[in-house]
Each structure stands twice: as structure tokens, then as C-alpha cells.
Coordinates of all heavy atoms in Angstrom, one line a residue:
M1 N 72.6 109.6 88.6 CA 74.0 109.7 88.3 C 74.8 109.0 89.4 O 74.4 109.1 90.5 CB 74.5 111.2 88.1 CG 73.7 112.0 87.0 SD 74.1 111.4 85.4 CE 75.5 112.3 85.0
V2 N 75.8 108.4 89.0 CA 76.6 107.6 90.0 C 78.1 108.0 89.8 O 78.7 108.0 88.7 CB 76.5 106.1 89.6 CG1 77.2 105.3 90.7 CG2 75.0 105.6 89.5
D3 N 78.7 108.4 90.9 CA 80.1 108.7 90.9 C 81.0 107.5 91.0 O 80.8 106.7 91.9 CB 80.4 109.6 92.1 CG 80.2 111.1 91.8 OD1 80.4 111.5 90.7 OD2 79.7 111.8 92.8
I4 N 81.8 107.3 90.0 CA 82.8 106.2 90.0 C 84.2 106.8 89.9 O 84.4 107.8 89.1 CB 82.5 105.3 88.8 CG1 81.1 104.7 88.8 CG2 83.6 104.2 88.8 CD1 80.8 103.7 89.9
V5 N 85.1 106.3 90.7 CA 86.5 106.8 90.6 C 87.4 105.9 89.8 O 87.5 104.7 90.2 CB 87.1 107.0 92.0 CG1 88.5 107.5 92.0 CG2 86.2 108.0 92.8
F6 N 87.9 106.4 88.7 CA 88.8 105.6 87.9 C 90.3 106.0 88.2 O 90.6 107.2 88.3 CB 88.6 105.8 86.4 CG 87.2 105.2 86.0 CD1 86.1 106.1 85.9 CD2 87.1 103.9 85.6 CE1 84.9 105.6 85.5 CE2 85.8 103.4 85.3 CZ 84.7 104.2 85.2
V7 N 91.1 105.0 88.4 CA 92.5 105.2 88.6 C 93.2 104.8 87.3 O 93.2 103.7 86.9 CB 93.1 104.4 89.7 CG1 94.6 104.7 89.9 CG2 92.3 104.7 91.0
E8 N 93.7 105.9 86.6 CA 94.4 105.7 85.3 C 95.7 105.0 85.5 O 96.3 105.0 86.6 CB 94.6 107.0 84.6 CG 93.3 107.7 84.3 CD 93.4 109.1 83.7 OE1 94.5 109.8 84.0 OE2 92.5 109.5 82.9
P9 N 96.3 104.4 84.4 CA 97.6 103.7 84.6 C 98.7 104.6 85.2 O 99.6 104.1 85.9 CB 98.0 103.3 83.1 CG 96.6 103.2 82.5 CD 95.8 104.2 83.1
S10 N 98.6 105.9 85.0 CA 99.6 106.8 85.5 C 99.4 107.0 87.0 O 100.3 107.6 87.7 CB 99.4 108.2 84.9 OG 98.1 108.8 85.3
G11 N 98.3 106.5 87.6 CA 98.0 106.7 89.0 C 97.1 107.9 89.2 O 96.6 108.1 90.3
N12 N 96.8 108.6 88.2 CA 95.8 109.8 88.2 C 94.4 109.3 88.5 O 94.0 108.3 87.9 CB 95.9 110.5 86.9 CG 95.1 111.8 86.9 OD1 95.2 112.5 87.9 ND2 94.5 112.1 85.9
R13 N 93.8 109.9 89.5 CA 92.4 109.5 89.8 C 91.4 110.4 89.2 O 91.6 111.7 89.3 CB 92.2 109.5 91.3 CG 93.0 108.5 92.1 CD 93.1 108.7 93.5 NE 91.8 108.3 94.2 CZ 91.6 107.2 94.8 NH1 92.6 106.2 94.7 NH2 90.5 106.9 95.4
V14 N 90.4 109.9 88.5 CA 89.4 110.7 87.8 C 88.0 110.2 88.3 O 87.7 109.1 88.1 CB 89.5 110.5 86.3 CG1 88.5 111.4 85.5 CG2 90.9 110.7 85.8
A15 N 87.3 111.2 88.8 CA 85.9 110.9 89.2 C 85.0 111.2 88.1 O 85.1 112.2 87.5 CB 85.5 111.7 90.4
V16 N 84.2 110.2 87.7 CA 83.2 110.4 86.6 C 81.8 110.1 87.1 O 81.5 109.2 87.8 CB 83.5 109.4 85.4 CG1 82.6 109.6 84.3 CG2 85.0 109.6 85.0
N17 N 80.9 111.0 86.7 CA 79.5 110.9 87.1 C 78.8 110.2 85.9 O 78.7 110.8 84.9 CB 79.0 112.4 87.3 CG 77.8 112.4 88.2 OD1 76.8 113.0 87.9 ND2 77.9 111.8 89.4
I18 N 78.4 109.0 86.2 CA 77.8 108.1 85.1 C 76.3 108.0 85.2 O 75.8 107.8 86.3 CB 78.5 106.8 85.2 CG1 80.1 106.9 85.1 CG2 78.0 105.8 84.1 CD1 80.8 105.6 85.2
N19 N 75.7 108.1 84.1 CA 74.2 107.9 84.1 C 73.9 106.5 84.6 O 74.5 105.5 84.2 CB 73.6 108.0 82.7 CG 73.7 109.4 82.2 OD1 73.4 110.3 82.9 ND2 74.0 109.5 80.9
E20 N 72.9 106.4 85.5 CA 72.5 105.1 86.0 C 72.0 104.2 84.8 O 71.3 104.7 83.9 CB 71.3 105.2 87.0 CG 71.8 104.9 88.4 CD 70.7 104.9 89.4 OE1 70.2 103.8 89.6 OE2 70.5 106.0 90.0
G21 N 72.5 103.0 84.7 CA 72.2 102.1 83.6 C 73.2 102.0 82.6 O 73.3 101.1 81.8
W22 N 74.1 103.1 82.5 CA 75.2 103.0 81.6 C 76.2 102.0 82.1 O 76.3 101.8 83.4 CB 75.9 104.4 81.5 CG 75.2 105.3 80.6 CD1 73.9 105.4 80.2 CD2 75.9 106.4 79.9 NE1 73.7 106.5 79.3 CE2 74.9 107.1 79.1 CE3 77.2 106.9 79.8 CZ2 75.2 108.2 78.3 CZ3 77.5 108.0 79.0 CH2 76.5 108.6 78.3
S23 N 77.1 101.5 81.2 CA 78.1 100.6 81.8 C 79.3 101.5 82.2 O 79.4 102.7 81.8 CB 78.6 99.7 80.7 OG 79.4 100.4 79.7
L24 N 80.1 101.0 83.1 CA 81.3 101.7 83.6 C 82.2 102.0 82.4 O 82.9 103.1 82.4 CB 82.1 100.9 84.6 CG 81.3 100.5 85.9 CD1 82.2 100.1 87.0 CD2 80.4 101.7 86.4
M25 N 82.3 101.1 81.4 CA 83.1 101.4 80.2 C 82.5 102.6 79.5 O 83.3 103.5 79.1 CB 83.1 100.2 79.2 CG 83.9 100.3 78.0 SD 83.0 101.3 76.6 CE 81.8 100.1 76.1
Q26 N 81.2 102.7 79.3 CA 80.6 103.9 78.6 C 81.0 105.2 79.4 O 81.3 106.2 78.8 CB 79.1 103.8 78.5 CG 78.6 102.8 77.5 CD 77.1 102.7 77.6 OE1 76.6 102.2 78.5 NE2 76.4 103.1 76.5
G27 N 80.8 105.1 80.7 CA 81.1 106.3 81.5 C 82.6 106.7 81.4 O 82.9 107.9 81.2
A28 N 83.5 105.7 81.4 CA 84.9 106.0 81.4 C 85.3 106.6 80.0 O 86.1 107.6 80.0 CB 85.7 104.8 81.7
T29 N 84.9 106.0 79.0 CA 85.3 106.4 77.6 C 84.7 107.8 77.3 O 85.3 108.7 76.8 CB 85.0 105.4 76.5 OG1 83.6 105.1 76.6 CG2 85.8 104.1 76.7
T30 N 83.4 108.0 77.7 CA 82.8 109.3 77.5 C 83.4 110.3 78.3 O 83.6 111.5 77.9 CB 81.3 109.2 77.8 OG1 80.7 108.1 77.0 CG2 80.6 110.5 77.6
G31 N 83.9 109.9 79.5 CA 84.5 110.9 80.4 C 86.0 111.1 80.1 O 86.7 111.9 80.9
G32 N 86.5 110.5 79.1 CA 87.9 110.8 78.7 C 89.0 110.1 79.6 O 90.1 110.6 79.7
V33 N 88.6 109.1 80.2 CA 89.6 108.4 81.1 C 90.6 107.6 80.3 O 90.3 107.0 79.3 CB 88.8 107.4 82.1 CG1 89.7 106.6 82.9 CG2 87.8 108.2 82.9
D34 N 91.9 107.8 80.7 CA 92.9 107.0 80.0 C 93.0 105.6 80.5 O 92.7 105.3 81.7 CB 94.3 107.7 80.3 CG 94.6 108.9 79.5 OD1 93.9 109.0 78.4 OD2 95.4 109.7 79.8
G35 N 93.4 104.7 79.6 CA 93.7 103.3 80.0 C 92.6 102.4 79.8 O 92.6 101.2 80.2
I36 N 91.5 102.8 79.1 CA 90.4 101.9 78.7 C 90.0 102.3 77.3 O 90.0 103.4 76.9 CB 89.2 102.1 79.7 CG1 88.1 101.2 79.4 CG2 88.7 103.6 79.7 CD1 87.1 101.0 80.5
L37 N 89.7 101.2 76.5 CA 89.5 101.4 75.1 C 88.0 101.1 74.7 O 87.3 101.9 74.1 CB 90.4 100.5 74.2 CG 91.9 100.8 74.4 CD1 92.7 99.9 73.6 CD2 92.2 102.3 74.0
G38 N 87.6 99.9 75.1 CA 86.2 99.6 74.7 C 85.9 99.4 73.3 O 84.9 99.9 72.7
E39 N 86.9 98.7 72.6 CA 86.9 98.7 71.1 C 85.6 98.0 70.5 O 85.2 98.4 69.4 CB 88.1 97.9 70.6 CG 89.4 98.8 70.7 CD 90.6 98.1 70.3 OE1 90.6 96.9 70.2 OE2 91.6 98.8 70.1
C40 N 85.0 97.1 71.2 CA 83.9 96.4 70.7 C 82.5 97.1 71.0 O 81.5 96.7 70.6 CB 83.8 94.9 71.1 SG 83.2 94.7 72.8
G41 N 82.6 98.2 71.7 CA 81.5 99.0 72.0 C 80.6 98.4 73.1 O 79.5 98.8 73.3
G42 N 81.1 97.4 73.8 CA 80.4 96.9 75.0 C 79.7 95.6 74.7 O 78.9 95.2 75.5
S43 N 80.1 94.9 73.7 CA 79.4 93.6 73.4 C 80.2 92.4 73.9 O 80.0 91.3 73.5 CB 79.1 93.5 71.9 OG 80.3 93.7 71.2
C44 N 81.1 92.6 74.8 CA 81.9 91.6 75.5 C 82.7 90.7 74.5 O 82.7 89.5 74.5 CB 80.9 90.7 76.3 SG 81.7 89.7 77.6
A45 N 83.3 91.4 73.5 CA 84.0 90.8 72.5 C 85.5 91.3 72.2 O 86.1 90.9 71.3 CB 83.2 90.9 71.2
C46 N 86.0 92.1 73.1 CA 87.3 92.6 72.8 C 88.3 92.6 74.1 O 89.5 92.6 73.9 CB 87.3 94.0 72.3 SG 86.8 95.3 73.5
A47 N 87.7 92.7 75.2 CA 88.5 92.6 76.5 C 89.4 93.9 76.7 O 90.3 93.9 77.5 CB 89.4 91.4 76.6
T48 N 89.1 95.0 75.9 CA 89.9 96.2 76.1 C 89.3 97.2 77.1 O 89.6 98.3 77.1 CB 90.2 96.9 74.7 OG1 88.9 97.3 74.2 CG2 90.9 96.0 73.8
C49 N 88.3 96.6 77.8 CA 87.8 97.4 78.9 C 88.1 96.8 80.3 O 87.4 97.0 81.3 CB 86.2 97.6 78.8 SG 85.4 96.0 78.8
H50 N 89.2 96.0 80.3 CA 89.6 95.3 81.5 C 89.9 96.3 82.6 O 90.5 97.3 82.4 CB 90.9 94.5 81.1 CG 91.5 93.8 82.2 ND1 92.8 93.5 82.3 CD2 91.0 93.2 83.4 CE1 93.1 92.8 83.4 NE2 92.0 92.6 84.0
C51 N 89.4 95.9 83.8 CA 89.7 96.8 84.9 C 89.8 96.0 86.2 O 89.4 94.8 86.2 CB 88.6 97.8 85.1 SG 86.9 97.1 85.4
Y52 N 90.4 96.6 87.2 CA 90.4 95.9 88.5 C 89.5 96.7 89.5 O 89.7 97.9 89.7 CB 91.9 96.0 89.1 CG 92.9 95.4 88.2 CD1 93.9 96.1 87.6 CD2 92.9 94.0 87.9 CE1 94.9 95.6 86.8 CE2 93.8 93.4 87.0 CZ 94.8 94.2 86.5 OH 95.8 93.6 85.7
V53 N 88.5 96.0 90.0 CA 87.6 96.6 90.9 C 88.1 96.5 92.3 O 88.7 95.6 92.7 CB 86.2 95.8 90.8 CG1 85.2 96.3 91.8 CG2 85.7 95.9 89.4
D54 N 87.8 97.6 93.1 CA 88.2 97.6 94.5 C 87.8 96.3 95.2 O 86.6 95.9 95.2 CB 87.4 98.8 95.1 CG 87.7 99.0 96.6 OD1 88.5 98.2 97.2 OD2 87.1 99.9 97.2
E55 N 88.8 95.6 95.7 CA 88.6 94.2 96.2 C 87.6 94.2 97.3 O 86.8 93.3 97.5 CB 89.9 93.6 96.6 CG 90.8 93.3 95.5 CD 92.0 92.4 95.9 OE1 91.8 91.4 96.6 OE2 93.1 92.8 95.6
D56 N 87.6 95.3 98.1 CA 86.7 95.3 99.3 C 85.2 95.4 98.9 O 84.3 95.1 99.7 CB 87.0 96.5 100.2 CG 88.3 96.4 100.8 OD1 88.9 95.3 100.9 OD2 88.9 97.4 101.3
R57 N 85.0 95.8 97.6 CA 83.6 96.0 97.2 C 83.2 95.0 96.1 O 82.1 95.1 95.5 CB 83.3 97.4 96.7 CG 83.6 98.4 97.9 CD 83.2 99.8 97.6 NE 81.7 99.9 97.3 CZ 81.1 101.0 96.8 NH1 81.8 102.1 96.7 NH2 79.8 101.0 96.6
L58 N 84.1 94.1 95.8 CA 83.8 93.1 94.8 C 82.5 92.4 94.9 O 81.8 92.2 94.0 CB 85.0 92.1 94.7 CG 85.2 91.3 93.5 CD1 85.3 92.2 92.2 CD2 86.5 90.5 93.6
G59 N 82.2 92.1 96.2 CA 81.0 91.3 96.5 C 79.7 92.1 96.2 O 78.6 91.5 96.2
E60 N 79.8 93.4 96.1 CA 78.6 94.2 95.8 C 78.2 94.2 94.4 O 77.1 94.7 94.0 CB 78.9 95.7 96.3 CG 79.2 95.8 97.7 CD 79.6 97.2 98.1 OE1 79.2 98.2 97.4 OE2 80.4 97.4 99.1
L61 N 79.1 93.7 93.5 CA 78.8 93.7 92.1 C 78.1 92.4 91.7 O 78.4 91.4 92.3 CB 80.1 93.8 91.3 CG 80.7 95.2 91.0 CD1 81.1 95.8 92.3 CD2 81.9 95.1 90.0
P62 N 77.2 92.5 90.7 CA 76.7 91.3 90.2 C 77.8 90.4 89.7 O 78.8 90.9 89.1 CB 75.8 91.8 89.0 CG 75.5 93.2 89.2 CD 76.7 93.7 90.0
A63 N 77.7 89.1 89.9 CA 78.8 88.2 89.4 C 79.0 88.3 87.9 O 78.0 88.6 87.2 CB 78.4 86.8 89.9
A64 N 80.2 88.0 87.5 CA 80.5 88.0 86.1 C 79.8 86.8 85.4 O 79.7 85.7 86.0 CB 82.0 87.9 85.9
G65 N 79.2 87.0 84.3 CA 78.6 86.0 83.5 C 79.6 85.1 82.8 O 80.8 85.4 82.8
E66 N 79.1 84.1 82.2 CA 80.0 83.1 81.5 C 80.8 83.8 80.4 O 82.0 83.6 80.2 CB 79.2 81.9 81.0 CG 80.1 80.7 80.8 CD 79.2 79.4 80.8 OE1 78.3 79.3 81.7 OE2 79.4 78.7 79.9
S67 N 80.1 84.6 79.6 CA 80.8 85.2 78.4 C 81.9 86.2 78.9 O 83.0 86.3 78.4 CB 79.8 85.9 77.5 OG 79.1 86.9 78.2
E68 N 81.6 86.9 80.0 CA 82.6 87.8 80.6 C 83.8 87.0 81.1 O 85.0 87.3 80.9 CB 82.0 88.7 81.7 CG 83.1 89.6 82.3 CD 82.5 90.5 83.5 OE1 81.3 90.5 83.7 OE2 83.3 91.2 84.1
L69 N 83.5 85.9 81.8 CA 84.6 85.1 82.3 C 85.5 84.5 81.2 O 86.7 84.5 81.3 CB 84.1 84.0 83.2 CG 83.4 84.4 84.5 CD1 82.7 83.2 85.2 CD2 84.5 85.0 85.5
D70 N 84.8 84.1 80.1 CA 85.6 83.6 79.0 C 86.4 84.7 78.4 O 87.6 84.5 78.0 CB 84.6 83.1 77.9 CG 84.0 81.8 78.2 OD1 84.5 81.1 79.2 OD2 83.1 81.4 77.6
M71 N 85.9 85.9 78.2 CA 86.6 87.0 77.6 C 87.8 87.5 78.5 O 88.8 88.0 78.0 CB 85.6 88.2 77.3 CG 86.2 89.2 76.4 SD 87.0 88.7 74.9 CE 85.6 87.8 74.1
L72 N 87.6 87.3 79.8 CA 88.7 87.7 80.7 C 90.0 86.9 80.5 O 91.1 87.2 80.9 CB 88.2 87.6 82.2 CG 87.4 88.8 82.7 CD1 86.7 88.4 84.0 CD2 88.2 90.0 82.8
D73 N 89.8 85.7 79.8 CA 91.0 84.9 79.4 C 91.8 85.7 78.4 O 93.0 85.3 78.2 CB 90.6 83.6 78.8 CG 90.0 82.6 79.9 OD1 90.3 82.8 81.1 OD2 89.3 81.7 79.5
N74 N 91.3 86.7 77.8 CA 92.0 87.4 76.7 C 92.5 88.7 77.0 O 92.9 89.5 76.1 CB 91.0 87.5 75.5 CG 90.5 86.2 75.0 OD1 91.3 85.3 74.7 ND2 89.2 86.0 74.8
V75 N 92.5 89.1 78.3 CA 93.0 90.4 78.6 C 94.5 90.5 78.4 O 95.2 89.5 78.5 CB 92.6 90.8 80.1 CG1 91.1 90.9 80.3 CG2 93.2 89.8 81.1
A76 N 94.9 91.7 78.1 CA 96.4 91.9 77.7 C 97.2 92.0 79.0 O 98.3 91.5 79.0 CB 96.5 93.2 76.9
A77 N 96.7 92.6 80.0 CA 97.4 92.8 81.3 C 97.1 91.5 82.2 O 96.3 90.7 81.9 CB 97.0 94.1 82.0
E78 N 97.8 91.5 83.3 CA 97.6 90.4 84.3 C 96.2 90.3 84.7 O 95.5 91.3 85.0 CB 98.5 90.7 85.5 CG 98.4 89.6 86.6 CD 99.0 90.1 87.9 OE1 99.5 91.2 88.0 OE2 99.0 89.3 88.9
R79 N 95.7 89.1 84.6 CA 94.3 88.8 85.1 C 94.4 88.5 86.6 O 95.2 87.7 87.1 CB 93.7 87.6 84.4 CG 92.3 87.4 84.9 CD 91.6 86.2 84.2 NE 90.3 85.9 84.7 CZ 89.5 85.0 84.2 NH1 89.8 84.4 83.1 NH2 88.3 84.8 84.7
R80 N 93.6 89.2 87.4 CA 93.6 89.1 88.9 C 92.2 88.7 89.3 O 91.3 88.8 88.6 CB 94.0 90.4 89.5 CG 95.4 90.9 89.1 CD 95.7 92.3 89.7 NE 96.9 92.8 89.2 CZ 97.3 94.1 89.3 NH1 96.5 95.0 89.9 NH2 98.5 94.5 88.8
P81 N 92.2 88.3 90.6 CA 90.8 87.8 91.1 C 89.8 88.9 91.0 O 88.6 88.7 91.0 CB 91.1 87.5 92.6 CG 92.6 87.1 92.6 CD 93.2 88.0 91.6
N82 N 90.2 90.2 91.0 CA 89.3 91.3 91.0 C 89.2 91.9 89.6 O 88.7 93.0 89.4 CB 89.6 92.4 92.0 CG 91.0 93.0 91.8 OD1 91.9 92.4 91.2 ND2 91.2 94.2 92.3
S83 N 89.6 91.1 88.6 CA 89.5 91.6 87.2 C 88.1 91.5 86.7 O 87.4 90.5 87.0 CB 90.4 90.7 86.2 OG 91.7 91.0 86.3
R84 N 87.6 92.5 86.1 CA 86.3 92.5 85.5 C 86.4 93.3 84.1 O 87.3 93.9 83.8 CB 85.3 93.3 86.4 CG 85.0 92.6 87.7 CD 84.2 91.3 87.5 NE 83.0 91.4 86.8 CZ 81.7 91.4 87.4 NH1 81.6 91.4 88.7 NH2 80.7 91.5 86.6
L85 N 85.3 93.1 83.3 CA 85.2 93.9 82.1 C 84.2 95.1 82.4 O 83.1 94.8 82.8 CB 84.7 93.0 81.0 CG 85.6 91.9 80.5 CD1 85.0 91.1 79.4 CD2 87.0 92.5 80.1
A86 N 84.7 96.3 82.2 CA 83.9 97.4 82.6 C 82.6 97.6 81.8 O 81.7 98.2 82.3 CB 84.7 98.7 82.5
C87 N 82.6 97.0 80.6 CA 81.4 97.1 79.8 C 80.2 96.2 80.4 O 79.1 96.3 80.0 CB 81.6 96.8 78.4 SG 81.9 95.0 78.0
Q88 N 80.6 95.3 81.3 CA 79.6 94.4 81.8 C 79.1 94.8 83.2 O 78.3 94.0 83.8 CB 80.2 92.9 81.8 CG 80.6 92.4 80.4 CD 79.5 92.4 79.5 OE1 78.4 91.7 79.7 NE2 79.6 93.1 78.3
I89 N 79.5 95.9 83.6 CA 79.1 96.4 84.9 C 78.2 97.7 84.7 O 78.7 98.7 84.2 CB 80.3 96.7 85.8 CG1 81.2 95.5 86.0 CG2 79.8 97.2 87.2 CD1 82.5 95.8 86.7
K90 N 77.0 97.6 85.1 CA 76.1 98.7 85.0 C 76.3 99.6 86.2 O 76.4 99.2 87.4 CB 74.7 98.2 84.9 CG 74.3 97.4 83.7 CD 73.8 98.3 82.6 CE 73.4 97.5 81.4 NZ 74.4 97.6 80.3
A91 N 76.2 100.9 85.9 CA 76.3 101.9 87.0 C 74.9 101.9 87.8 O 73.9 102.1 87.1 CB 76.6 103.3 86.5
T92 N 75.0 101.6 89.0 CA 73.8 101.7 89.9 C 74.1 102.5 91.1 O 75.3 102.6 91.5 CB 73.3 100.3 90.3 OG1 74.3 99.7 91.1 CG2 73.0 99.4 89.1
A93 N 73.1 103.0 91.8 CA 73.4 103.8 93.0 C 74.2 103.0 94.0 O 75.0 103.6 94.8 CB 72.0 104.2 93.6
A94 N 74.0 101.7 94.1 CA 74.7 100.9 95.1 C 76.2 101.0 94.9 O 77.0 100.7 95.8 CB 74.2 99.5 95.0
L95 N 76.7 101.3 93.7 CA 78.1 101.3 93.4 C 78.7 102.7 93.6 O 79.9 102.9 93.2 CB 78.4 100.8 91.9 CG 77.9 99.4 91.6 CD1 78.4 99.0 90.2 CD2 78.5 98.4 92.6
A96 N 78.0 103.7 94.1 CA 78.5 105.0 94.2 C 79.9 105.0 95.0 O 80.0 104.3 96.0 CB 77.5 105.9 95.0
G97 N 80.8 105.7 94.4 CA 82.1 105.8 95.0 C 83.1 104.7 94.8 O 84.2 104.7 95.2
L98 N 82.6 103.7 94.0 CA 83.5 102.6 93.7 C 84.8 103.0 93.0 O 84.8 103.9 92.1 CB 82.7 101.6 92.7 CG 83.5 100.3 92.3 CD1 83.5 99.4 93.5 CD2 82.8 99.7 91.1
V99 N 85.9 102.4 93.4 CA 87.2 102.7 92.8 C 87.6 101.6 91.8 O 87.6 100.4 92.2 CB 88.3 102.9 93.9 CG1 89.6 103.1 93.2 CG2 87.9 104.0 94.8
V100 N 87.8 102.0 90.6 CA 88.1 101.1 89.5 C 89.5 101.4 88.9 O 89.7 102.5 88.4 CB 87.0 101.2 88.4 CG1 87.4 100.3 87.2 CG2 85.6 100.8 89.0
T101 N 90.4 100.5 89.0 CA 91.8 100.7 88.6 C 92.0 100.1 87.2 O 91.6 99.0 86.9 CB 92.8 100.1 89.6 OG1 92.5 100.7 90.9 CG2 94.2 100.4 89.2
L102 N 92.6 100.9 86.3 CA 92.8 100.4 85.0 C 94.2 99.9 84.8 O 95.2 100.4 85.4 CB 92.6 101.6 84.0 CG 91.1 102.0 84.1 CD1 90.9 103.4 83.4 CD2 90.2 101.0 83.4
P103 N 94.4 98.8 84.1 CA 95.7 98.2 83.9 C 96.6 99.0 83.1 O 96.2 99.9 82.4 CB 95.4 96.8 83.3 CG 94.1 97.1 82.5 CD 93.4 98.1 83.3
D104 N 97.9 98.6 83.0 CA 98.9 99.3 82.3 C 98.7 99.2 80.8 O 99.1 100.1 80.0 CB 100.3 98.7 82.5 CG 100.8 99.1 83.9 OD1 100.3 100.1 84.5 OD2 101.7 98.4 84.4
T105 N 98.0 98.1 80.3 CA 97.8 98.0 78.9 C 96.5 97.3 78.6 O 96.0 96.5 79.5 CB 99.0 97.2 78.3 OG1 98.8 97.1 76.8 CG2 99.1 95.8 78.8
Q106 N 95.9 97.6 77.5 CA 94.7 96.9 77.1 C 94.9 96.2 75.8 O 93.9 95.6 75.3 CB 93.6 98.0 76.8 CG 93.1 98.7 78.1 CD 92.2 97.9 79.0 OE1 92.0 96.7 78.8 NE2 91.7 98.5 80.1
E107 N 96.1 96.2 75.2 CA 96.3 95.5 73.9 C 97.7 95.1 73.8 O 98.6 95.5 74.5 CB 95.8 96.3 72.7 CG 96.3 97.7 72.7 CD 95.7 98.5 71.6 OE1 94.8 98.1 70.9 OE2 96.2 99.7 71.4
Ligands
FES201 FE1 84.7 95.1 74.5 FE2 84.1 95.4 77.0 S1 84.1 96.9 75.5 S2 84.6 93.6 76.0

């Protein structure tokens, strides 16, 4: 299990304990976190799992693949250098304590 801290659009911080191997999107939606939808179920086809990853730890994440980068062109909120799709990030022990901020809107 991996602890990830989500910051909801309201500023509320929610720590979610995610099964290793699950995506951060699965963990957040299962954990009832506000500000993330995951409409396509994690197939990198909706961009409603857009999130901002803690910039200081961005380098610890596997780089975004081409399909994720393409889909990031379709996010509803501002795209930033630390924008990622939460369905494309697997929870691993190395990411414990990662802070993931959710944008104001997903659609
Ligand atoms: Fe649809 Fe991530 S859940 S792109």
C-alpha cells in the first residue's frame, strides 16, 4: 500500500492508501477524492484525471508516454509543466507521500 496525498480543488488534503500497482486515478476515485473523474476508466482517452504532481518529485515518476502527452492537450484546466494524467501513474513504494494537486475543473 502506498500513501498518496491528494489536494482537492477546495484545498482540502486527503491521504489515500493505494494498492501497489493501482493507478493514482483508481486510488483517488475509489477513495472518494473530489476533483477527479476518470471517465474513461483509465484508458488514456478522456483527460478527466488531470493532476499536478509535486514539482520537486516530478523526476521520480516514469516519464509520460506519447499517448499521455497527446491527451494532455485536451485537459480542461491549465496545462502546466507538472501536468500528468493520474491514470497513467502506477502507485509504487517509491512514490510514498507524493502530493498530487487536482485542478479546478476536469470538463
Ligand atoms: Fe481517462 Fe485518465 S481516466 S485519461
